[in-house]
RNA sequence: GGGCGGUUAGCUCAGUUGGUUAGAGCGCCUGCCUUACAAGCAGGAUGUCGGGGGUUCGAGUCCCUCACUGCCCA
C-alpha cells in the first residue's frame, strides 16, 4: 500500500518536485509533425519574450498563467500544443546593466573596453545571469516547449534579422536620413516614439526680448527652453497675427550671440500661446525642424550626444543643457533681455528606459517606411484574419495604424543586431549586403566601414512568429513553418500592442506572403498573418486597485506569494479574476482562499484514500484503468447522488469548455471551484458516507459507489489540472497508487480533458437532488431557528405532491445524515405554526418542543411578508399590463404567472404563521 | 484637445441577443473540534445597479445627458 497523504496540503513539498519532473521528462516538447498538420488540431502560441535582464513580475505571471491554462487545456484535448519560450536581448536594458556593472567595478568603461570587448562582456553576463527569468518560469511549471527555446541574438535568428533588413532595404522600404529623433542623452542613443513617455512637470515660460537689427524696435518671444536659443535660426509669428505684421521680413539680433535671424510667418506660431512669437531651433525641436524645412532654414546642432552645449568659442561650450539654461537666463537678465519668467506646466518627454529627459536631436538614422506595411496590417485585421479579444482593441489598433509614422529602427548601441550596411570611405556610398563586402559597389573602393548602429530590439522580436520556426529569409517553407505558422493565439498585455503586436502583424504580413503554403500554393494575407487571434489581458494591480510601482513600494513579487501560498493558489487567484478587459486587483486574502480550496481538494483525496483502504481491507476492489473514465452507462441500482454528481460533472465540463473558448478564465475557474467544493465536497462526499458500509458480504451499492467516487474525483482532477497543475498532478498519481493501478500516463497533463459527453447526464436525478437539497437546507434553517442542539435528531413532517413526497420518503437516509432528521412523516395538510416553513415545492415542519424566540420569529416573518409583497406587486403590475401580456413571449408570461401564484401561496402561509404567533 | 473604458453588496468583481423578484468570492454576524478538511462545517445579514431624462409591455442591460474616475494618443 502507498504512503498516506500528509494531513494538510503543503505546496512547498510537492511543487518543486513536479516542476523539475516536467522539465526533465521533456513532457511538453513537441516534435515537428511528420505528415501534414491539421490546423484544427494544432495549438501554437509564442510566449511574449521577457527581457533577458528581467525578473518575473505579476504581469508575467498573469500572462503565463493564462497561456498555460490554454496550452494545458488544448494539450489535454489532444491538440498538438506548442508554446514557444524565449528571451529578448533587450538592447538598452542589457547594455545598461553591464555598463553599471563596469561602473561598480570601477576599473574600466565601455568606451575604454571598445566595442568588441564590451559585447564579449555582455555575452558573458548573459551566460551567467540570462536564464534567471526562464528558471523562474520552470519553477512555476509553465508547460512550454523548452526544446524550442530561443534567444533573439542567437546565430540563426540573427541571420534572419540581417536578411529581413537587406530585403526591406532592397525593396526601398528602408532609408537613412537626418531627422529629429528622440535622443536619450544618458545611454546616448535614439529611441522610438513609443519608448518616450510624457510627464507633466512644473517649469517656466521665459519671455525674452529680441531686438530688430535695424534698431527700429524689438519683439518678445516666449520659450520654455532658453538654452536652445544658441541654435536659433529664426523667429516665427502667425501670418494672421496683426501685432507682428510689421516685423515680417525683418531681421533680429540674437541676444548673447549677435547673429542676425529673420522673422518668418508660419501657421505653427500660436497667437494665443505666450507672446505669439516663437524662436525656431530646427536641430532641437521637431516642430521647429518642420518650420525650418518649410522656410529653407539651416539646422545648426548646438549639443553633443550627452546633451552638453557644443559650440566652440562660446562661453557656454561644454555646459550641461540645464546648467547652460541657468547661465543663459542670468546673462539675458544682466543684458536686459529677460522680460519676465512665468510659471508654466510643461509636458516633458522622458525616456522609458532610463528616465532621462529626452533631447530632440537632429541626427542620422535609419528608418522603415511603414505605410506599405501598415496597409496590409490594417487589411488583415479589417478583413477578420486576426481577431482581437476584447474586441475594442481592434479599434485602438486601427487608430494607431492609420496615424502611424515611419519607424526609426537604428540605435546607437553596441548590444544588438548590427546593421548590415557598409559606408565607403572613398565615395561615401552605402553598401547594404548579406555578406561582408570587400569593395564598394559604386566606386569599387575597398575602404568599407560597417555601420556602427544596431537595430531596435523590437525589429527582431517583430519577426519572431516565423523566425522561431526556421525562417531564414529564403522563402523556403520549413517543416516547422508548414506545421505551426500562423500561430493560433497571442496572449499579451496592452502595453506592447504597438511595440510588438502591431509590428509582428506588419512584418508577418510582409514577409510571409512570399512563403508558399504547405500544399505549394501561393499564400494569401489570411495565412500570412502571424496569429489568428490576440487576447489582450489587463493589468495586475494591488489589492487597492493601485498600479504597482517601485516608487510606491507596492510591488508584489510573484515568487514571494507563490512561496507563501503555492503556485496553484496564485494561478487560481489570477485566473478567477481574469475577465477580459478588467484589471485584476490582486489580494493575498483571495489567494489565501484559494489555498484553502487546494487544501479542501487535498483532504477530499485523503478521504478517498481512506475509503479505498477500507474497501481493500474488506475485499472491495476498485480499478482505474484508462484515464478516460467514461461512465455513460450507469447500472440500474446506481443511487441518486451518484447519478446526480455524474450529471453535474458533465454539465460543468461543458461550462468550463465554453468559458475557456471565450477566454473567460474567471467563469471557468469559478465553475470548477463551485463544482469541486460546493457540490462534490459539500454534498457528494457527505452522501457517499451513507453507502460506504464495507460489509463482509459484498454490497453492490457500496462497490458501485466506491468506483463512482474514485472515477468522479479522477475526472474532476483532470478538469482542474490546467488551472492547478501541481496539486492535481500529485493527487492524481496518489490516487492511482491508492487504487493499486499503474497510472496510465506519465502526467495528468498528458491525459484527456474530461468532456461533457463522457458522463451520464440524467436530468431527472438533478431535479430530484435539487429538491432534496432544498428540503435539507430548509430543515437545517428551521432547526437553527428552533434552537435544536446540533447533535439532536428531530422528526419532520412533509407536505408535498406525490413525487416529492415519495422522494423525501425514499431518501430519508440522506435527510438523516445531512439534516439530522430522525423520521419523515408525510402529511396531507400543510403544517403550520412556528416550526413550519413553506417553499414553492413543499411545506415542512420540524417537530421540536421548544418555545421559539417570538420576537425574532415575528421579525423574520414580517421581513418575508414584505419581500413577498414586493414581489407580488411587481408581478401583478406586469400581469395587469395588457401590453406585457400581449407582447411578451409566452414562456415569460407563464413563468411570471406561476411565480406569482407561488409567491401568493407563500405569502398566505407566512401571514398565517404570523397570525398564529403568540402575543408578546 | 482626440479616442476608449469604468461606476452593481463593506472589498474585488460577474451579470450572455433587453425578459420572471440582481449573483459569486472574500469579509462580517451567530452556532458548532459532526473521525477528509478549524486552511473546516452549518446558519444568517447586506444592494433606491453613479444622478437625471428617454425608447419599450418590460431597462443593471439600449439611447441622450450630467457627475466622478481610469487608460491610450497628441
Amino acid at each position: 500500500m502507498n504512503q498516506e497523504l500528509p494531513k494538510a496540503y503543503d505546496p512547498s513539498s510537492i511543487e518543486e518536485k513536479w516542476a523539475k519532473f516536467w522539465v526533465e521528462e521533456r513532457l511538453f516538447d513537441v516534435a515537428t509533425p511528420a505528415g501534414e498538420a491539421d490546423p484544427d488540431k494544432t495549438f501554437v502560441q509564442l510566449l511574449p519574450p521577457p527581457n533577458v535582464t528581467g525578473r518575473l513580475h505579476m504581469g508575467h505571471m498573469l500572462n503565463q498563467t493564462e497561456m498555460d491554462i490554454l496550452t494545458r487545456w488544448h494539450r489535454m484535448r489532444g491538440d498538438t500544443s506548442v508554446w514557444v519560450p524565449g528571451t529578448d536581448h533587450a538592447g538598452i536594458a542589457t547594455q545598461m546593466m553591464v555598463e553599471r556593472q563596469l561602473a561598480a567595478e570601477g576599473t574600466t568603461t565601455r568606451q575604454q573596453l571598445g566595442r568588441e570587448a564590451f559585447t564579449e562582456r555582455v555575452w558573458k553576463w548573459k551566460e551567467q545571469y540570462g536564464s534567471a527569468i526562464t528558471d523562474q518560469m520552470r519553477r512555476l511549471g509553465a508547460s512550454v516547449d523548452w526544446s524550442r527555446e530561443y534567444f533573439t541574438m542567437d546565430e540563426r535568428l540573427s541571420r534572419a534579422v540581417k536578411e529581413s533588413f537587406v530585403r526591406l532595404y532592397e525593396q526601398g522600404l528602408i532609408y537613412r536620413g537626418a531627422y529629429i529623433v528622440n535622443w536619450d542623452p544618458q545611454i546616448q542613443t535614439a529611441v522610438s516614439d513609443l519608448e518616450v513617455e510624457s510627464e507633466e512637470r512644473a517649469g517656466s515660460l521665459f519671455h525674452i526680448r529680441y531686438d530688430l537689427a535695424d534698431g527700429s524696435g524689438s519683439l518678445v518671444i516666449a520659450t520654455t527652453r532658453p538654452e536652445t536659443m544658441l541654435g536659433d535660426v529664426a523667429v516665427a509669428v502667425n501670418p494672421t497675427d496683426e501685432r507682428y505684421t510689421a516685423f515680417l521680413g525683418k531681421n533680429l539680433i540674437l541676444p548673447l550671440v549677435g547673429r542676425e535671424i529673420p522673422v518668418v510667418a508660419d501657421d505653427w506660431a500660436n497667437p494665443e500661446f505666450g507672446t505669439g512669437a516663437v524662436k525656431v531651433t530646427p536641430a532641437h525641436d521637431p516642430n521647429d525642424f518642420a518650420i525650418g524645412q518649410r522656410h529653407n532654414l539651416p539646422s545648426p546642432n548646438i549639443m553633443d550626444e550627452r546633451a552638453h552645449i557644443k559650440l566652440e568659442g562660446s562661453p557656454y561650450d561644454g555646459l550641461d543643457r540645464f546648467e547652460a539654461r541657468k547661465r543663459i537666463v542670468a546673462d539675458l537678465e544682466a543684458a536686459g533681455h529677460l522680460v519676465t519668467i512665468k510659471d508654466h506646466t510643461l509636458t516633458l518627454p522622458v525616456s522609458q528606459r532610463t528616465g532621462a529627459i529626452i533631447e530632440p536631436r537632429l541626427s542620422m538614422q535609419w528608418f522603415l517606411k511603414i505605410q506599405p506595411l501598415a496597409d496590409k496590417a490594417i487589411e488583415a485585421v479589417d478583413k477578420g484574419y486576426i481577431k482581437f479579444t476584447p474586441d475594442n482593441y481592434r479599434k485602438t489598433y486601427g487608430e494607431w495604424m492609420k496615424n502611424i509614422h515611419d519607424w526609426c529602427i537604428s540605435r546607437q548601441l553596441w548590444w544588438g543586431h548590427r546593421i548590415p550596411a557598409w559606408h565607403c570611405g572613398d565615395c561615401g556610398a552605402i553598401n547594404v549586403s548579406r555578406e561582408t563586402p570587400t569593395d564598394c559597389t559604386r566606386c569599387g573602393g575597398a575602404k568599407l566601414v560597417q555601420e556602427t548602429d544596431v537595430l531596435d530590439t523590437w525589429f527582431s522580436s517583430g519577426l519572431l512568429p516565423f523566425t522561431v520556426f526556421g525562417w531564414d529569409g529564403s522563402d523556403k517553407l520549413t517543416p516547422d513553418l508548414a506545421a505551426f505558422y500562423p500561430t493560433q493565439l497571442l496572449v499579451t498585455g496592452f502595453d506592447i500592442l504597438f511595440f510588438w503586436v502591431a509590428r509582428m502583424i506588419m512584418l508577418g504580413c510582409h514577409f510571409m506572403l512570399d512563403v508558399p503554403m504547405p500544399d505549394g500554393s501561393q499564400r494569401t494575407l489570411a495565412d500570412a498573418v502571424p496569429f489568428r487571434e490576440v487576447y489582450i489581458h489587463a493589468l495586475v494591480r494591488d489589492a487597492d486597485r493601485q498600479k504597482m510601482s517601485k516608487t510606491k513600494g507596492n510591488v508584489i513579487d510573484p515568487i514571494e506569494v507563490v512561496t507563501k501560498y503555492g503556485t496553484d493558489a496564485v494561478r487560481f487567484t489570477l485566473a478567477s479574476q481574469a475577465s477580459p478587459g478588467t484589471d485584476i486587483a490582486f489580494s493575498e486574502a483571495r489567494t489565501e482562499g484559494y489555498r484553502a480550496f487546494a487544501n479542501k481538494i487535498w483532504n477530499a483525496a485523503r478521504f478517498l484514500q481512506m475509503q479505498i483502504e477500507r474497501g481493500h481491507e474488506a475485499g472491495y476492489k476498485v480499478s482505474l484503468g484508462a484515464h478516460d473514465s467514461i461512465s455513460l452507462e450507469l447500472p440500474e441500482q446506481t443511487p441518486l447522488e451518484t447519478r446526480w454528481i455524474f450529471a453535474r460533472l458533465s454539465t460543468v465540463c461543458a461550462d468550463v469548455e465554453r468559458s475557456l473558448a471565450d477566454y473567460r478564465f474567471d467563469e471557468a475557474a469559478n465553475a470548477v471551484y463551485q463544482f469541486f467544493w460546493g457540490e462534490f465536497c459539500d454534498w457528494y462526499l457527505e452522501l457517499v458516507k451513507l453507502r460506504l458500509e464495507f460489509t463482509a458480504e459484498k454490497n453492490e451499492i457500496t462497490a458501485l459507489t466506491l468506483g463512482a467516487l474514485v472515477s468522479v474525483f479522477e475526472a474532476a482532477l483532470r478538469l482542474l489540472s490546467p488551472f492547478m497543475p501541481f496539486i492535481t498532478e500529485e493527487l492524481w498519481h496518489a490516487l492511482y497508487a491508492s487504487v493499486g493501478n499503474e497510472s496510465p500516463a506519465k502526467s495528468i497533463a498528458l491525459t484527456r480533458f474530461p468532456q461533457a459527453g463522457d458522463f451520464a447526464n440524467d436530468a431527472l436525478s438533478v431535479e430530484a437532488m435539487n429538491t432534496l437539497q432544498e428540503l435539507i437546507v430548509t430543515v437545517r434553517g428551521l432547526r437553527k431557528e428552533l434552537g435544536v442542539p446540533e447533535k439532536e435528531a428531530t422528526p419532520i413532517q412533509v407536505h408535498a405532491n406525490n413525487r416529492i413526497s415519495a422522494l423525501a420518503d425514499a431518501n430519508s437516509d440522506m435527510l438523516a445524515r445531512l439534516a439530522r432528521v430522525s423520521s419523515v412523516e408525510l402529511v396531507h395538510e400543510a403544517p403550520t405554526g412556528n416550526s413550519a416553513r413553506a417553499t414553492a415545492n413543499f411545506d415542512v415542519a420540524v417537530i421540536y418542543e421548544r418555545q421559539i424566540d417570538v420576537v425574532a420569529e415575528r421579525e423574520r416573518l414580517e421581513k418575508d411578508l414584505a419581500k413577498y409583497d414586493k414581489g407580488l406587486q411587481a408581478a401583478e403590475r406586469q400581469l395587469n399590463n395588457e401590453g406585457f401580456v400581449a407582447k411578451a413571449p409566452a414562456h415569460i408570461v407563464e413563468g411570471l404567472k406561476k411565480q406569482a401564484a407561488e409567491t401568493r401561496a407563500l405569502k398566505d402561509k407566512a401571514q398565517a404563521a404570523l397570525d398564529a404567533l403568540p402575543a408578546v
Side-chain angles (χ1 to χ4, degrees):
Chain A
M1 197 62 206
N2 60 99
Q3 78 252 40
E4 242 174 67
L5 292 167
K7 187 166 175 186
Y9 159 68
D10 174 17
S12 65
S13 68
I14 60 169
E15 291 191 351
E16 273 172 55
K17 171 182 74 179
W18 290 118
K20 210 168 143 218
F21 176 79
W22 294 330
V23 174
E24 281 176 357
E25 294 288 316
R26 313 202 72 90
L27 284 193
F28 309 123
D29 292 4
V30 178
T32 305
E36 209 160 289
D38 177 358
D40 292 334
K41 296 294 287 172
T42 308
F43 183 73
V44 186
Q45 49 180 355
L46 225 60
L47 172 81
N51 283 355
V52 67
T53 54
R55 290 290 185 280
L56 217 65
H57 55 62
M58 264 325 203
H60 290 126
M61 185 145 182
L62 169 64
N63 178 260
Q64 292 173 16
T65 295
E66 291 175 341
M67 296 186 86
D68 198 40
I69 288 171
L70 292 172
T71 307
R72 285 174 182 270
W73 172 51
H74 277 280
R75 187 181 294 115
M76 290 178 77
R77 289 189 351 148
D79 298 346
T80 303
S81 302
V82 191
W83 180 11
V84 185
T87 42
D88 192 293
H89 66 276
I92 297 181
T94 314
Q95 177 159 328
M96 273 172 66
M97 192 76 93
V98 177
E99 283 197 75
R100 263 210 299 273
Q101 203 178 45
L102 291 179
E105 289 167 9
T107 48
T108 181
T109 65
R110 166 166 70 97
Q111 287 76 8
Q112 284 165 355
L113 271 181
R115 184 164 188 149
E116 201 170 323
F118 180 76
T119 35
E120 280 292 308
R121 224 4 238 261
V122 184
W123 275 111
K124 260 198 209 131
W125 183 93
K126 191 256 171 190
E127 294 316 318
Q128 197 171 353
Y129 304 107
S131 64
I133 196 158
T134 48
D135 286 344
Q136 288 180 315
M137 282 184 69
R138 285 181 181 85
R139 165 60 184 82
L140 297 185
S143 67
V144 300
D145 180 346
W146 290 112
S147 73
R148 294 176 186 276
E149 183 182 1
Y150 63 85
F151 177 54
T152 50
M153 288 275 281
D154 283 346
E155 176 66 33
R156 189 169 62 82
L157 268 63
S158 299
R159 246 198 334 272
V161 168
K162 190 191 282 181
E163 172 67 27
S164 59
F165 180 93
V166 173
R167 281 177 55 170
L168 287 167
Y169 184 80
E170 287 170 352
Q171 291 160 348
L173 292 171
I174 284 178
Y175 63 94
R176 184 168 183 258
Y179 293 90
I180 292 272
V181 292
N182 303 297
W183 186 267
D184 180 330
Q186 187 176 322
I187 188 115
Q188 296 168 33
T189 177
V191 294
S192 80
D193 296 348
L194 287 172
E195 290 160 304
V196 178
E197 286 166 355
S198 32
E199 268 184 33
E200 286 214 335
R201 291 199 195 160
S204 309
L205 191 61
F206 301 86
H207 289 222
I208 304 164
R209 184 165 49 78
Y210 285 23
D211 295 325
L212 280 168
D214 60 12
S216 65
S218 65
L219 163 159
V220 177
I221 58 99
T223 181
T224 56
R225 300 202 56 198
E227 69 280 11
T228 61
M229 67 175 291
L230 301 174
D232 281 2
V233 295
V235 165
V237 297
N238 196 288
T240 62
D241 196 336
E242 289 173 8
R243 290 174 292 179
Y244 299 112
T245 319
F247 290 82
L248 288 174
K250 293 194 175 178
N251 276 359
L252 298 163
I253 297 174
L254 195 55
L256 308 182
V257 179
R259 195 151 39 82
E260 285 198 16
I261 56 171
V263 178
V264 300
D266 197 284
D267 288 337
W268 163 251
N270 178 2
E272 310 285 314
F273 182 80
T275 62
V278 291
K279 58 197 270 314
V280 179
T281 322
H284 294 278
D285 183 283
N287 297 307
D288 291 10
F289 183 76
I291 297 174
Q293 299 268 297
R294 284 198 286 274
H295 298 273
N296 263 325
L297 298 165
S299 310
N301 197 331
I302 60 153
M303 288 189 206
D304 65 12
E305 57 280 356
R306 296 170 304 160
H308 287 203
I309 302 296
K310 191 181 175 190
L311 263 183
E312 267 178 54
S314 163
Y316 310 105
D317 186 47
L319 289 180
D320 171 79
R321 52 189 165 162
F322 301 113
E323 184 57 30
R325 177 180 302 174
K326 277 187 210 154
R327 291 273 293 274
I328 285 172
V329 170
D331 291 351
L332 283 169
E333 186 165 23
H337 284 279
L338 186 66
V339 179
T340 178
I341 303 176
K342 291 188 171 165
D343 287 341
H344 179 71
T345 308
L346 62 160
T347 316
L348 280 182
V350 175
S351 169
Q352 202 181 51
R353 284 275 157 234
T354 65
I357 294 173
I358 290 294
E359 182 62 40
R361 184 167 196 259
L362 182 61
S363 62
M364 211 44 142
Q365 301 291 344
W366 295 83
F367 293 87
L368 179 58
K369 206 179 283 178
I370 210 80
Q371 203 58 56
L373 280 77
D375 288 342
K376 269 183 264 175
I378 290 168
E379 185 187 343
V381 172
D382 280 353
K383 292 216 171 131
Y385 303 147
I386 297 174
K387 187 185 146 209
F388 281 92
T389 305
D391 180 60
N392 55 305
Y393 283 106
R394 186 165 45 90
K395 206 168 166 185
T396 311
Y397 166 87
E399 288 295 320
W400 186 76
M401 272 294 182
K402 274 172 210 125
N403 301 307
I404 198 164
H405 299 295
D406 283 357
W407 175 13
C408 174
I409 51 173
S410 46
R411 296 291 180 272
Q412 288 64 49
L413 301 173
W414 286 354
W415 176 240
H417 299 105
R418 192 159 171 183
I419 289 178
W422 284 262
H423 302 278
C424 176
D426 292 325
C427 72
I430 290 172
N431 296 258
V432 168
S433 158
R434 290 166 179 84
E435 306 302 330
T436 306
T438 52
D439 42 35
C440 176
T441 48
R442 188 161 79 191
C443 71
K447 285 199 216 150
L448 292 175
V449 183
Q450 188 174 1
E451 169 64 57
T452 52
D453 290 355
V454 299
L455 286 164
D456 181 3
T457 309
W458 295 105
F459 185 92
S460 58
S461 36
L463 304 168
L464 286 173
F466 40 100
T467 52
V468 296
F469 296 125
W471 183 88
D472 59 1
S474 68
D475 295 342
K476 225 173 50 211
L477 184 73
T478 67
D480 272 0
L481 278 175
F484 302 136
Y485 193 92
T487 66
Q488 266 61 49
L489 175 68
L490 182 78
V491 180
T492 190
F494 59 85
D495 50 331
I496 52 173
L497 180 61
F498 307 135
F499 274 117
W500 192 47
V501 181
R503 275 135 181 200
M504 280 191 286
I505 297 175
M506 289 191 284
L507 293 167
C509 292
H510 184 74
F511 285 112
M512 287 306 286
L513 270 178
D514 297 331
V515 176
M517 294 295 287
D519 64 5
S521 64
Q522 168 77 39
R523 190 177 292 262
T524 62
L525 192 57
D527 294 307
V529 295
F531 27 73
R532 307 268 181 218
E533 292 194 38
V534 181
Y535 173 76
I536 304 229
H537 61 241
L539 217 62
V540 184
R541 296 166 176 275
D542 75 3
D544 303 317
R545 290 193 53 77
Q546 295 294 306
K547 219 172 183 169
M548 293 186 199
S549 80
K550 275 181 195 147
T551 46
K552 269 188 266 183
N554 62 344
V555 176
I556 303 168
D557 177 359
I559 301 296
E560 266 176 41
V561 201
V562 157
T563 310
K564 201 163 161 196
Y565 299 102
T567 310
D568 286 334
V570 181
R571 285 170 62 109
F572 212 85
T573 308
L574 293 168
S576 73
Q577 292 194 267
S579 167
T582 307
D583 284 349
I584 291 176
F586 188 88
S587 91
E588 280 200 21
R590 205 157 164 148
T591 310
E592 211 178 323
Y594 291 122
R595 183 185 56 180
F597 175 55
N599 185 55
K600 187 79 183 171
I601 295 161
W602 186 266
N603 278 288
R606 292 182 61 233
F607 174 76
L608 260 78
Q609 209 172 46
M610 289 173 197
Q611 304 313 315
I612 293 165
E613 174 104 10
R614 284 175 63 208
H616 269 291
E617 280 166 7
Y620 289 73
K621 271 225 305 245
V622 202
S623 77
L624 262 176
H627 49 69
D628 24 339
S629 47
I630 295 176
S631 318
L632 277 178
E633 295 288 329
L634 296 178
E636 202 165 334
Q637 69 271 38
T638 305
L640 175 61
E641 72 280 354
T642 288
R643 294 177 178 277
W644 168 77
I645 199 72
F646 274 119
R648 289 299 307 140
L649 176 60
S650 167
T651 303
V652 171
C653 286
D655 291 345
V656 170
E657 189 91 0
R658 182 166 10 87
S659 297
L660 285 180
D662 292 339
Y663 306 110
R664 288 303 304 261
F665 299 96
D666 59 331
E667 283 182 354
N670 292 333
V672 183
Y673 180 94
Q674 178 53 35
F675 172 76
F676 232 121
W677 197 324
E679 300 191 297
F680 182 77
C681 290
D682 285 353
W683 292 94
Y684 190 61
L685 287 192
E686 293 309 317
L687 290 174
V688 295
K689 288 176 183 171
L690 288 171
R691 316 293 175 209
L692 299 176
E693 298 283 336
F694 295 99
T695 48
E697 198 171 330
K698 197 179 171 193
N699 181 328
E700 276 305 316
I701 301 284
T702 300
L704 191 156
T705 298
L706 185 61
L709 174 64
V710 168
S711 154
V712 169
F713 186 70
E714 191 273 344
L717 284 177
R718 282 185 278 127
L719 186 66
L720 180 63
S721 181
F723 304 88
M724 292 190 152
F726 291 99
I727 189 174
T728 51
E729 185 82 285
E730 176 76 16
L731 296 181
W732 188 76
H733 286 283
L735 183 64
Y736 275 92
S738 298
V739 168
N741 288 7
E742 202 177 320
S743 57
K746 260 189 183 173
S747 161
I748 190 172
L750 303 182
T751 63
R752 170 186 166 88
F753 195 69
Q755 299 289 310
D758 293 353
F759 314 100
N761 195 334
D762 173 4
L764 286 178
S765 61
V766 173
E767 201 191 330
M769 262 305 287
N770 285 347
T771 306
L772 283 170
Q773 285 175 310
E774 193 186 1
L775 184 56
I776 288 165
V777 168
T778 308
V779 171
R780 281 171 177 170
L782 266 173
R783 284 170 50 91
K784 281 266 193 217
E785 246 166 61
L786 293 169
V788 182
E790 295 272 344
K791 285 183 176 164
E792 193 172 326
T794 50
I796 62 167
Q797 289 181 333
V798 174
H799 167 76
N801 65 26
N802 288 342
R803 187 185 65 82
I804 293 174
S805 297
L807 191 66
D809 193 43
N811 293 288
S812 57
D813 52 350
M814 288 192 190
L815 298 176
R817 177 97 202 173
L818 295 191
R820 301 261 184 193
V821 169
S822 57
S823 68
V824 180
E825 185 192 351
L826 301 177
V827 294
H828 294 293
E829 294 291 321
T832 55
N834 311 325
S835 59
R837 190 67 67 80
T839 76
N841 289 319
F842 51 79
D843 297 272
V844 62
V846 169
I847 309 304
Y848 184 69
E849 294 296 328
R850 186 172 154 192
Q851 202 56 32
I852 53 143
D853 182 339
V854 177
V855 178
E857 183 65 3
R858 181 178 298 278
E859 206 174 302
R860 186 186 69 80
L861 284 168
E862 278 169 350
K863 213 166 181 179
D864 277 356
L865 269 178
K867 189 176 77 187
Y868 295 143
D869 256 333
K870 195 178 150 210
L872 213 48
Q873 275 168 29
E876 278 167 0
R877 203 171 30 248
Q878 290 205 70
L879 289 170
N880 293 336
N881 183 327
E882 285 172 27
F884 173 74
V885 180
K887 293 188 186 174
H891 75 276
I892 299 289
V893 178
E894 284 312 306
L896 190 61
K897 274 187 187 158
K898 188 171 162 225
Q899 192 180 41
E902 283 169 10
T903 307
R904 192 169 298 114
L906 289 175
K907 185 192 157 188
D908 291 347
K909 284 172 189 171
Q911 187 61 57
L914 191 60
D915 294 344
L917 270 187
V920 194

